[in-house]
Amino acid sequence: MDSSGKQPVVVPENLRALYAPVAQELQETEELLRRELSSDHPFVDQLVKHGFRLGGKRLRPALVLLSGLACGGLRPEHRTLAAMVELIHTATLIHDDVLDEATVRRHLDTINARWDNETSILLGDYLFAKAMCLAGSLEDPFAIRLISQTTQRVCKGELRQVEGRGDFGLTEDCYFDIIGGKTAALTSCCCEVGAYYAGASPETCRRLADYGRDLGIAFQIADDVLDLTGNETVVGKSLGTDLAKQKATLPLIRLLDAVDDPQRQQLVAILSRSDNHRQEALRPWFERYQAISYARQKAGRFSQQAVEQLSTLSATVALDSLRGLTDFVIARQQ
Amino acid sequence: MDSSGKQPVVVPENLRALYAPVAQELQETEELLRRELSSDHPFVDQLVKHGFRLGGKRLRPALVLLSGLACGGLRPEHRTLAAMVELIHTATLIHDDVLDEATVRRHLDTINARWDNETSILLGDYLFAKAMCLAGSLEDPFAIRLISQTTQRVCKGELRQVEGRGDFGLTEDCYFDIIGGKTAALTSCCCEVGAYYAGASPETCRRLADYGRDLGIAFQIADDVLDLTGNETVVGKSLGTDLAKQKATLPLIRLLDAVDDPQRQQLVAILSRSDNHRQEALRPWFERYQAISYARQKAGRFSQQAVEQLSTLSATVALDSLRGLTDFVIARQQ
C-alpha cells in the first residue's frame, strides 16, 4: 500500500462538482498541507504523509472555502484555515481509529494497524500542534481562539461517548449532545471562520455556524447509519465498530425506545454478545421497527434546517454548493 | 484514592524553598488551573480533576514565573502562561502513561490504569486544547506560536523514541536529539516565554531558552537514571518502564558502547528477555562499566552549562532559584 502521499486524495465525483467553485483554492490547500506534512526525519515524514491521505473527502476545507466565498470572497487566510481544519480533522481521525480499534480508513491501513497505538497517539498530537501553528500564523487571533474552543468541545463529546459505551439507556438528547460536540462543533467552526475571515457580519457568521452545526449533525447520523448498514468495500473503512464497542447510536436508541421490556432484554442480550453476528441478528429488528428510516428522517430534518440558515445569503455558485452539500451528507454511501 | 482535586499538590520541601520568590503567583496559577480544570459534565469534571494532580512538582510553571521575575518582573500574562505550560505538560504525561503502560504517577493511579487508554487519549487532547485556549487569550501571539512549535518538537521527539525502541544501536547523539525534543523543548519554552513577557531583550530571551534546554536535558538524564535505579515508593511512579519497552537511555547506550561483541550479545539477550528481572541482571554490568556514574556526570555537565547561561542576569532571589534548580534536577530522588 503506497503511503508516499504523492497519490492524489480521491474526492468522490458528486462532491467534486460541489467543490468546483473553490477547486483552485482546494488545490492550493493540498499543496500547503503537503508542505506542512513533510519532515526532515524519515520515520516522521512517512507517518505524516500517510496521515495526510487518511482525511479523504476534504469536506472541512471545502466548507471553509465555500463559506468564505459565499460570504464576501476569499482571502489568503482562507487557505491557511482550510489546511488547519483538515489537520485537526485528520488528528481526530487518527485518535478515533485507536478508540475504535479500526484497521482500515479510506481503503488504507490505519496508523494503529500499520504501526501501533503509540504512534497513532503521537502522530495525532503532532498534527494538532501543526494545526495550531497554522492558526497562530494568522494576524487576527479569532481563528486560534475559536479552533481551540472547538477542539475542546470535540474532545468533550468524544469523552462523553466513551462514558456512554454499553449504556443502552442513552437518550436521544444525550446522543445529539454528543455528536453536536464530536462532529458538528468542527463543521460549525469551519463555516464560521470561513464567513468571519471573509468579513461577514456577526449575524451572518452565526448563521453559517448554525448551518455547519446542522450539516455536521446530519452527516454524523448518516455516518452512524452507514456503520450499521454500509458495505466496507464501498465505504472504505471499518464498519460495525459502534456495535462492537457497544456505542448506542440513533437507530439503536430508537429501537430500544420502541420495544417492550421482554424484547428489550432480548436486544441487550444480542448487543452484549461478543461474536461478530450482532449486525445480522439486529437487522430484522431495525426493519420491523423502522429504526433506520427513523434515523434517516432525522438526518433529513437537520439537513433541511441547515439549508434554511442560508436564506439570507445572496445567490452565488458557492451558495449552491453549500445547499448541495446538505443533500450530499444524507445521501452519501461513503 | 481521592481524585477530587481538592487535596493540594505536594511540592517537595527542597523545591518549595526554590519556588519561594514566586510562591504567591504559583498559588494563583493553581487557582487558575483549578478553574480551568472543572467541567459542567460530571465524568469530564472527575477526569480533569484527577489529571490536575498528576503534574505534581509544578516545575514548568515555576520556570515561567522565575524566568519572568529574573528578567524584569512579572505581568498578569505570566500566570496564564504558567497554567498553560502545566496543562501541556499534564497532557503529555497522560499520553506518555499510555505509551509506557504506566499504572502509577505521583502515587496516584494513572488515567489509563483507572479508566482506560481511550479516556487517556481524549483527556490528553482535551488538556492540549485547554492550553491553546489559554495561550490564545493573550494579546501578543508570541506564546501561542512558540508553544505550538514546541508541542510539535515534543511530539517529534516522542515519535523518534517510539521508532528507536528495541534499537540497541542507538547513538548518544540520537539520544540527546530525542530528549532535546521530548523534554528540553518544553522547559526551554517555559523560560523563553517567561523572559519574553517580562520584556527581556532578544539576547536574554535566547539565553533563558538555552538555560531551559540544558536544564531539561539534565533533568531527563537524571529521570532516565532514576528509571533504572530508583525506588518506586520514593519516586512515586512506575519505574523500569524504559527497559520493559526496550528504550535505550544514556546508561544503557554507554554500557553497550563500552563492552566487546560477545558481552554485547549477552546484554542484548538480557534486554530481550520478557521477564521482570532484567534490572537485577543488568545492575552488575552498570556498576562494572560505571555507566550510571557516566550518565550522572553528563547530567552534571548540562546542569553546569545551564548555570552559565544565567551569567548576564543581575542578582535577584529569582536568579538564585534558577541556579538552585540546576542542582535540584540532578540531585532529585523523585
Side-chain angles (χ1 to χ4, degrees), chain B residues 8-58:
Chain B
V9 172
V10 181
V11 174
E13 201 42 63
N14 49 352
L15 260 188
R16 200 170 302 121
L18 295 169
Y19 291 173
V22 291
Q24 174 60 28
E25 291 79 4
L26 270 174
Q27 194 45 50
E28 290 162 16
T29 305
E30 289 296 300
E31 291 312 317
L32 178 53
L33 278 169
R34 213 180 290 277
R35 276 200 305 281
E36 285 294 316
L37 293 178
S38 63
S39 167
D40 49 2
H41 188 273
F43 178 61
V44 178
D45 192 63
Q46 184 189 15
L47 288 175
V48 291
K49 283 186 166 35
H50 191 84
F52 170 74
R53 296 175 55 225
L54 292 171
K57 288 191 293 295
R58 303 298 192 237

Short mmCIF file of all heavy atoms in Angstrom, two decimals, chain B residues 8-58:
data_model
loop_
_atom_site.label_atom_id
_atom_site.label_comp_id
_atom_site.label_asym_id
_atom_site.label_seq_id
_atom_site.Cartn_x
_atom_site.Cartn_y
_atom_site.Cartn_z
N PRO B 8 -4.24 19.47 48.05
CA PRO B 8 -3.24 20.29 47.36
C PRO B 8 -2.14 19.44 46.74
O PRO B 8 -1.83 18.36 47.22
CB PRO B 8 -2.67 21.16 48.48
CG PRO B 8 -2.90 20.37 49.72
CD PRO B 8 -4.19 19.64 49.50
N VAL B 9 -1.58 19.94 45.66
CA VAL B 9 -0.47 19.25 45.01
C VAL B 9 0.74 19.34 45.93
O VAL B 9 1.04 20.39 46.48
CB VAL B 9 -0.16 19.90 43.65
CG1 VAL B 9 1.12 19.33 43.07
CG2 VAL B 9 -1.32 19.72 42.71
N VAL B 10 1.43 18.21 46.14
CA VAL B 10 2.55 18.19 47.07
C VAL B 10 3.85 18.54 46.33
O VAL B 10 4.24 17.84 45.39
CB VAL B 10 2.69 16.80 47.73
CG1 VAL B 10 3.85 16.81 48.72
CG2 VAL B 10 1.39 16.42 48.44
N VAL B 11 4.47 19.63 46.73
CA VAL B 11 5.76 20.03 46.17
C VAL B 11 6.84 19.69 47.21
O VAL B 11 6.72 20.07 48.37
CB VAL B 11 5.78 21.54 45.86
CG1 VAL B 11 7.17 21.98 45.41
CG2 VAL B 11 4.74 21.88 44.81
N PRO B 12 7.88 18.93 46.80
CA PRO B 12 8.93 18.56 47.76
C PRO B 12 9.51 19.78 48.47
O PRO B 12 9.57 20.86 47.89
CB PRO B 12 9.99 17.90 46.88
CG PRO B 12 9.28 17.48 45.63
CD PRO B 12 8.13 18.41 45.45
N GLU B 13 9.91 19.57 49.73
CA GLU B 13 10.40 20.66 50.59
C GLU B 13 11.52 21.46 49.90
O GLU B 13 11.46 22.69 49.82
CB GLU B 13 10.91 20.06 51.91
CG GLU B 13 10.97 21.06 53.05
CD GLU B 13 9.75 21.97 53.08
OE1 GLU B 13 8.63 21.47 53.28
OE2 GLU B 13 9.94 23.18 52.86
N ASN B 14 12.51 20.74 49.37
CA ASN B 14 13.66 21.44 48.77
C ASN B 14 13.24 22.30 47.57
O ASN B 14 13.83 23.34 47.31
CB ASN B 14 14.76 20.44 48.36
CG ASN B 14 14.19 19.27 47.56
OD1 ASN B 14 12.96 19.12 47.41
ND2 ASN B 14 15.08 18.45 47.03
N LEU B 15 12.19 21.86 46.88
CA LEU B 15 11.71 22.67 45.76
C LEU B 15 10.96 23.89 46.26
O LEU B 15 11.10 24.99 45.73
CB LEU B 15 10.78 21.85 44.87
CG LEU B 15 11.34 21.24 43.59
CD1 LEU B 15 10.22 20.64 42.76
CD2 LEU B 15 12.12 22.27 42.79
N ARG B 16 10.18 23.69 47.32
CA ARG B 16 9.35 24.80 47.80
C ARG B 16 10.22 26.00 48.14
O ARG B 16 9.87 27.14 47.87
CB ARG B 16 8.49 24.37 49.00
CG ARG B 16 7.30 25.32 49.18
CD ARG B 16 6.27 24.83 50.19
NE ARG B 16 5.74 23.54 49.86
CZ ARG B 16 5.82 22.47 50.67
NH1 ARG B 16 6.43 22.57 51.83
NH2 ARG B 16 5.29 21.31 50.33
N ALA B 17 11.39 25.73 48.70
CA ALA B 17 12.32 26.81 49.03
C ALA B 17 12.73 27.56 47.75
O ALA B 17 12.77 28.79 47.74
CB ALA B 17 13.54 26.25 49.72
N LEU B 18 13.00 26.81 46.70
CA LEU B 18 13.41 27.44 45.43
C LEU B 18 12.25 28.22 44.79
O LEU B 18 12.46 29.22 44.11
CB LEU B 18 13.93 26.38 44.46
CG LEU B 18 15.22 25.65 44.87
CD1 LEU B 18 15.48 24.46 43.97
CD2 LEU B 18 16.40 26.61 44.85
N TYR B 19 11.05 27.77 45.05
CA TYR B 19 9.87 28.43 44.47
C TYR B 19 9.47 29.69 45.26
O TYR B 19 8.63 30.47 44.79
CB TYR B 19 8.66 27.49 44.46
CG TYR B 19 8.74 26.30 43.50
CD1 TYR B 19 7.75 25.32 43.52
CD2 TYR B 19 9.77 26.16 42.58
CE1 TYR B 19 7.79 24.22 42.65
CE2 TYR B 19 9.82 25.07 41.71
CZ TYR B 19 8.83 24.11 41.76
OH TYR B 19 8.85 23.03 40.91
N ALA B 20 10.08 29.88 46.43
CA ALA B 20 9.63 30.94 47.34
C ALA B 20 9.43 32.31 46.67
O ALA B 20 8.41 32.96 46.89
CB ALA B 20 10.59 31.05 48.52
N PRO B 21 10.37 32.77 45.80
CA PRO B 21 10.18 34.10 45.22
C PRO B 21 8.89 34.27 44.42
O PRO B 21 8.42 35.38 44.22
CB PRO B 21 11.40 34.26 44.30
CG PRO B 21 12.41 33.28 44.80
CD PRO B 21 11.64 32.14 45.37
N VAL B 22 8.31 33.12 43.96
CA VAL B 22 7.09 33.22 43.17
C VAL B 22 5.95 32.41 43.81
O VAL B 22 5.00 32.00 43.13
CB VAL B 22 7.33 32.72 41.71
CG1 VAL B 22 8.22 33.69 40.96
CG2 VAL B 22 7.91 31.32 41.71
N ALA B 23 6.06 32.20 45.13
CA ALA B 23 5.07 31.36 45.83
C ALA B 23 3.65 31.87 45.60
O ALA B 23 2.73 31.10 45.29
CB ALA B 23 5.39 31.32 47.31
N GLN B 24 3.50 33.19 45.72
CA GLN B 24 2.17 33.81 45.57
C GLN B 24 1.61 33.55 44.16
O GLN B 24 0.48 33.09 43.99
CB GLN B 24 2.29 35.32 45.83
CG GLN B 24 1.02 36.12 45.57
CD GLN B 24 -0.13 35.62 46.44
OE1 GLN B 24 0.09 35.11 47.54
NE2 GLN B 24 -1.35 35.75 45.92
N GLU B 25 2.45 33.80 43.16
CA GLU B 25 1.99 33.62 41.77
C GLU B 25 1.73 32.16 41.46
O GLU B 25 0.81 31.84 40.69
CB GLU B 25 3.03 34.18 40.80
CG GLU B 25 3.18 35.70 40.82
CD GLU B 25 4.02 36.19 41.99
OE1 GLU B 25 4.55 35.36 42.77
OE2 GLU B 25 4.13 37.42 42.15
N LEU B 26 2.51 31.26 42.06
CA LEU B 26 2.26 29.82 41.85
C LEU B 26 0.90 29.44 42.43
O LEU B 26 0.17 28.64 41.85
CB LEU B 26 3.36 28.98 42.51
CG LEU B 26 4.58 28.64 41.65
CD1 LEU B 26 5.64 27.93 42.48
CD2 LEU B 26 4.18 27.79 40.45
N GLN B 27 0.57 30.05 43.57
CA GLN B 27 -0.72 29.78 44.18
C GLN B 27 -1.84 30.25 43.26
O GLN B 27 -2.83 29.54 43.03
CB GLN B 27 -0.81 30.47 45.55
CG GLN B 27 -1.98 29.98 46.40
CD GLN B 27 -2.10 28.45 46.39
OE1 GLN B 27 -1.12 27.74 46.63
NE2 GLN B 27 -3.28 27.96 46.05
N GLU B 28 -1.65 31.44 42.69
CA GLU B 28 -2.66 31.97 41.77
C GLU B 28 -2.76 31.10 40.52
O GLU B 28 -3.85 30.90 39.99
CB GLU B 28 -2.31 33.41 41.39
CG GLU B 28 -2.48 34.40 42.53
CD GLU B 28 -1.74 35.72 42.31
OE1 GLU B 28 -1.36 36.00 41.16
OE2 GLU B 28 -1.54 36.44 43.30
N THR B 29 -1.61 30.55 40.10
CA THR B 29 -1.63 29.64 38.96
C THR B 29 -2.44 28.39 39.28
O THR B 29 -3.23 27.92 38.45
CB THR B 29 -0.18 29.25 38.58
OG1 THR B 29 0.58 30.44 38.35
CG2 THR B 29 -0.16 28.38 37.34
N GLU B 30 -2.27 27.88 40.51
CA GLU B 30 -3.05 26.71 40.94
C GLU B 30 -4.54 27.02 40.87
O GLU B 30 -5.33 26.21 40.39
CB GLU B 30 -2.69 26.31 42.38
CG GLU B 30 -1.32 25.70 42.55
CD GLU B 30 -1.18 24.37 41.83
OE1 GLU B 30 -1.93 23.42 42.13
OE2 GLU B 30 -0.32 24.29 40.92
N GLU B 31 -4.90 28.22 41.33
CA GLU B 31 -6.32 28.61 41.31
C GLU B 31 -6.82 28.67 39.87
O GLU B 31 -7.91 28.19 39.57
CB GLU B 31 -6.51 29.97 42.00
CG GLU B 31 -6.27 29.95 43.50
CD GLU B 31 -7.01 28.79 44.17
OE1 GLU B 31 -8.19 28.54 43.82
OE2 GLU B 31 -6.39 28.11 45.01
N LEU B 32 -6.00 29.24 39.02
CA LEU B 32 -6.37 29.35 37.61
C LEU B 32 -6.55 27.96 37.00
O LEU B 32 -7.54 27.67 36.32
CB LEU B 32 -5.29 30.15 36.86
CG LEU B 32 -5.46 30.36 35.35
CD1 LEU B 32 -6.82 30.96 35.04
CD2 LEU B 32 -4.35 31.28 34.83
N LEU B 33 -5.60 27.06 37.31
CA LEU B 33 -5.70 25.69 36.82
C LEU B 33 -6.97 25.02 37.34
O LEU B 33 -7.68 24.35 36.62
CB LEU B 33 -4.48 24.87 37.27
CG LEU B 33 -3.22 25.01 36.43
CD1 LEU B 33 -2.04 24.36 37.13
CD2 LEU B 33 -3.42 24.38 35.05
N ARG B 34 -7.25 25.27 38.61
CA ARG B 34 -8.43 24.66 39.21
C ARG B 34 -9.70 25.13 38.50
O ARG B 34 -10.59 24.33 38.21
CB ARG B 34 -8.50 25.00 40.70
CG ARG B 34 -9.10 23.91 41.57
CD ARG B 34 -9.13 24.34 43.02
NE ARG B 34 -7.79 24.41 43.61
CZ ARG B 34 -7.15 23.34 44.09
NH1 ARG B 34 -7.73 22.15 44.05
NH2 ARG B 34 -5.95 23.45 44.62
N ARG B 35 -9.72 26.43 38.17
CA ARG B 35 -10.89 26.96 37.46
C ARG B 35 -10.97 26.36 36.06
O ARG B 35 -12.03 25.92 35.62
CB ARG B 35 -10.80 28.49 37.35
CG ARG B 35 -11.30 29.23 38.57
CD ARG B 35 -11.64 30.68 38.22
NE ARG B 35 -10.53 31.40 37.60
CZ ARG B 35 -9.50 31.91 38.28
NH1 ARG B 35 -9.43 31.76 39.59
NH2 ARG B 35 -8.54 32.56 37.66
N GLU B 36 -9.82 26.31 35.38
CA GLU B 36 -9.81 25.78 34.01
C GLU B 36 -10.19 24.30 33.99
O GLU B 36 -10.86 23.83 33.09
CB GLU B 36 -8.41 25.95 33.40
CG GLU B 36 -8.08 27.37 32.99
CD GLU B 36 -8.96 27.85 31.84
OE1 GLU B 36 -9.17 27.08 30.88
OE2 GLU B 36 -9.45 28.99 31.92
N LEU B 37 -9.71 23.60 35.02
CA LEU B 37 -9.91 22.15 35.05
C LEU B 37 -11.15 21.77 35.86
O LEU B 37 -11.08 20.99 36.81
CB LEU B 37 -8.67 21.45 35.60
CG LEU B 37 -7.46 21.57 34.68
CD1 LEU B 37 -6.25 20.90 35.29
CD2 LEU B 37 -7.76 20.98 33.32
N SER B 38 -12.24 22.37 35.49
CA SER B 38 -13.52 21.93 36.05
C SER B 38 -14.49 21.91 34.87
O SER B 38 -14.31 22.64 33.90
CB SER B 38 -14.01 22.90 37.12
OG SER B 38 -14.23 24.17 36.55
N SER B 39 -15.45 21.02 34.94
CA SER B 39 -16.38 20.87 33.82
C SER B 39 -17.79 20.69 34.35
O SER B 39 -17.99 20.16 35.45
CB SER B 39 -15.98 19.65 32.99
OG SER B 39 -17.04 19.31 32.10
N ASP B 40 -18.77 21.16 33.57
CA ASP B 40 -20.17 21.02 33.98
C ASP B 40 -20.63 19.57 33.82
O ASP B 40 -21.68 19.18 34.32
CB ASP B 40 -21.07 21.95 33.16
CG ASP B 40 -20.80 21.82 31.66
OD1 ASP B 40 -19.95 20.97 31.29
OD2 ASP B 40 -21.41 22.56 30.87
N HIS B 41 -19.83 18.76 33.13
CA HIS B 41 -20.20 17.36 32.97
C HIS B 41 -19.45 16.49 33.99
O HIS B 41 -18.22 16.49 34.00
CB HIS B 41 -19.93 16.87 31.55
CG HIS B 41 -20.48 15.50 31.30
ND1 HIS B 41 -19.77 14.36 31.60
CD2 HIS B 41 -21.69 15.09 30.86
CE1 HIS B 41 -20.51 13.31 31.31
NE2 HIS B 41 -21.68 13.72 30.87
N PRO B 42 -20.18 15.76 34.86
CA PRO B 42 -19.56 15.06 36.00
C PRO B 42 -18.38 14.17 35.61
O PRO B 42 -17.32 14.24 36.25
CB PRO B 42 -20.72 14.20 36.55
CG PRO B 42 -21.96 14.88 36.10
CD PRO B 42 -21.64 15.54 34.79
N PHE B 43 -18.51 13.38 34.54
CA PHE B 43 -17.44 12.45 34.16
C PHE B 43 -16.19 13.23 33.75
O PHE B 43 -15.08 12.97 34.22
CB PHE B 43 -17.92 11.55 33.02
CG PHE B 43 -16.88 10.58 32.51
CD1 PHE B 43 -16.34 9.61 33.35
CD2 PHE B 43 -16.45 10.63 31.19
CE1 PHE B 43 -15.39 8.71 32.88
CE2 PHE B 43 -15.51 9.72 30.72
CZ PHE B 43 -14.97 8.77 31.56
N VAL B 44 -16.39 14.24 32.89
CA VAL B 44 -15.26 15.05 32.43
C VAL B 44 -14.64 15.79 33.62
O VAL B 44 -13.42 15.84 33.76
CB VAL B 44 -15.73 16.05 31.34
CG1 VAL B 44 -14.57 16.93 30.89
CG2 VAL B 44 -16.33 15.31 30.15
N ASP B 45 -15.49 16.28 34.51
CA ASP B 45 -15.01 17.01 35.68
C ASP B 45 -14.12 16.11 36.55
O ASP B 45 -13.03 16.51 36.97
CB ASP B 45 -16.20 17.51 36.51
CG ASP B 45 -15.76 18.50 37.57
OD1 ASP B 45 -15.25 19.58 37.19
OD2 ASP B 45 -15.88 18.20 38.78
N GLN B 46 -14.57 14.87 36.75
CA GLN B 46 -13.80 13.92 37.56
C GLN B 46 -12.43 13.65 36.91
O GLN B 46 -11.40 13.64 37.58
CB GLN B 46 -14.60 12.62 37.67
CG GLN B 46 -13.98 11.56 38.55
CD GLN B 46 -14.72 10.23 38.43
OE1 GLN B 46 -15.51 10.03 37.51
NE2 GLN B 46 -14.45 9.33 39.36
N LEU B 47 -12.45 13.52 35.58
CA LEU B 47 -11.21 13.23 34.85
C LEU B 47 -10.22 14.39 34.95
O LEU B 47 -9.05 14.20 35.27
CB LEU B 47 -11.51 12.96 33.38
CG LEU B 47 -12.18 11.64 33.04
CD1 LEU B 47 -12.52 11.62 31.55
CD2 LEU B 47 -11.30 10.47 33.42
N VAL B 48 -10.69 15.59 34.67
CA VAL B 48 -9.76 16.73 34.64
C VAL B 48 -9.21 17.00 36.03
O VAL B 48 -8.05 17.36 36.19
CB VAL B 48 -10.39 18.00 34.02
CG1 VAL B 48 -10.63 17.82 32.54
CG2 VAL B 48 -11.66 18.41 34.74
N LYS B 49 -10.04 16.76 37.06
CA LYS B 49 -9.55 16.98 38.42
C LYS B 49 -8.49 15.95 38.78
O LYS B 49 -7.52 16.26 39.48
CB LYS B 49 -10.71 16.95 39.42
CG LYS B 49 -11.52 18.23 39.41
CD LYS B 49 -12.57 18.26 40.50
CE LYS B 49 -13.14 19.65 40.71
NZ LYS B 49 -13.26 20.45 39.48
N HIS B 50 -8.65 14.74 38.28
CA HIS B 50 -7.62 13.73 38.51
C HIS B 50 -6.35 14.11 37.75
O HIS B 50 -5.25 14.08 38.30
CB HIS B 50 -8.13 12.35 38.06
CG HIS B 50 -7.25 11.22 38.49
ND1 HIS B 50 -7.35 10.64 39.73
CD2 HIS B 50 -6.25 10.57 37.85
CE1 HIS B 50 -6.45 9.67 39.84
NE2 HIS B 50 -5.76 9.60 38.71
N GLY B 51 -6.54 14.50 36.51
CA GLY B 51 -5.40 14.90 35.67
C GLY B 51 -4.64 16.06 36.29
O GLY B 51 -3.40 16.09 36.27
N PHE B 52 -5.39 16.98 36.89
CA PHE B 52 -4.83 18.17 37.53
C PHE B 52 -3.73 17.82 38.54
O PHE B 52 -2.76 18.55 38.70
CB PHE B 52 -5.98 18.89 38.25
CG PHE B 52 -5.57 20.01 39.17
CD1 PHE B 52 -5.15 21.22 38.67
CD2 PHE B 52 -5.63 19.85 40.55
CE1 PHE B 52 -4.79 22.26 39.52
CE2 PHE B 52 -5.28 20.87 41.41
CZ PHE B 52 -4.85 22.08 40.88
N ARG B 53 -3.89 16.66 39.17
CA ARG B 53 -2.96 16.31 40.25
C ARG B 53 -1.82 15.41 39.78
O ARG B 53 -0.93 15.07 40.55
CB ARG B 53 -3.73 15.65 41.39
CG ARG B 53 -4.73 16.63 42.00
CD ARG B 53 -5.58 15.96 43.05
NE ARG B 53 -4.74 15.34 44.07
CZ ARG B 53 -4.97 14.11 44.54
NH1 ARG B 53 -5.92 13.38 44.04
NH2 ARG B 53 -4.18 13.62 45.48
N LEU B 54 -1.83 15.03 38.51
CA LEU B 54 -0.77 14.15 38.01
C LEU B 54 0.52 14.92 37.72
O LEU B 54 1.60 14.37 37.72
CB LEU B 54 -1.24 13.42 36.74
CG LEU B 54 -2.36 12.39 36.94
CD1 LEU B 54 -2.87 11.91 35.60
CD2 LEU B 54 -1.87 11.22 37.79
N GLY B 55 0.36 16.21 37.47
CA GLY B 55 1.53 17.02 37.09
C GLY B 55 2.56 17.12 38.19
O GLY B 55 3.75 17.06 37.94
N GLY B 56 2.10 17.27 39.42
CA GLY B 56 2.97 17.18 40.57
C GLY B 56 3.84 18.37 40.90
O GLY B 56 3.37 19.35 41.47
N LYS B 57 5.10 18.31 40.49
CA LYS B 57 6.10 19.26 41.02
C LYS B 57 5.88 20.71 40.59
O LYS B 57 6.46 21.61 41.15
CB LYS B 57 7.50 18.83 40.57
CG LYS B 57 8.01 17.60 41.28
CD LYS B 57 9.48 17.37 41.02
CE LYS B 57 9.77 16.99 39.58
NZ LYS B 57 9.18 15.69 39.18
N ARG B 58 5.10 20.92 39.55
CA ARG B 58 4.86 22.28 39.04
C ARG B 58 6.16 22.96 38.65
O ARG B 58 6.30 24.18 38.79
CB ARG B 58 4.09 23.13 40.07
CG ARG B 58 2.74 22.55 40.51
CD ARG B 58 1.78 22.41 39.37
NE ARG B 58 0.42 22.13 39.82
CZ ARG B 58 -0.29 21.06 39.44
NH1 ARG B 58 0.24 20.16 38.62
NH2 ARG B 58 -1.53 20.90 39.85
#
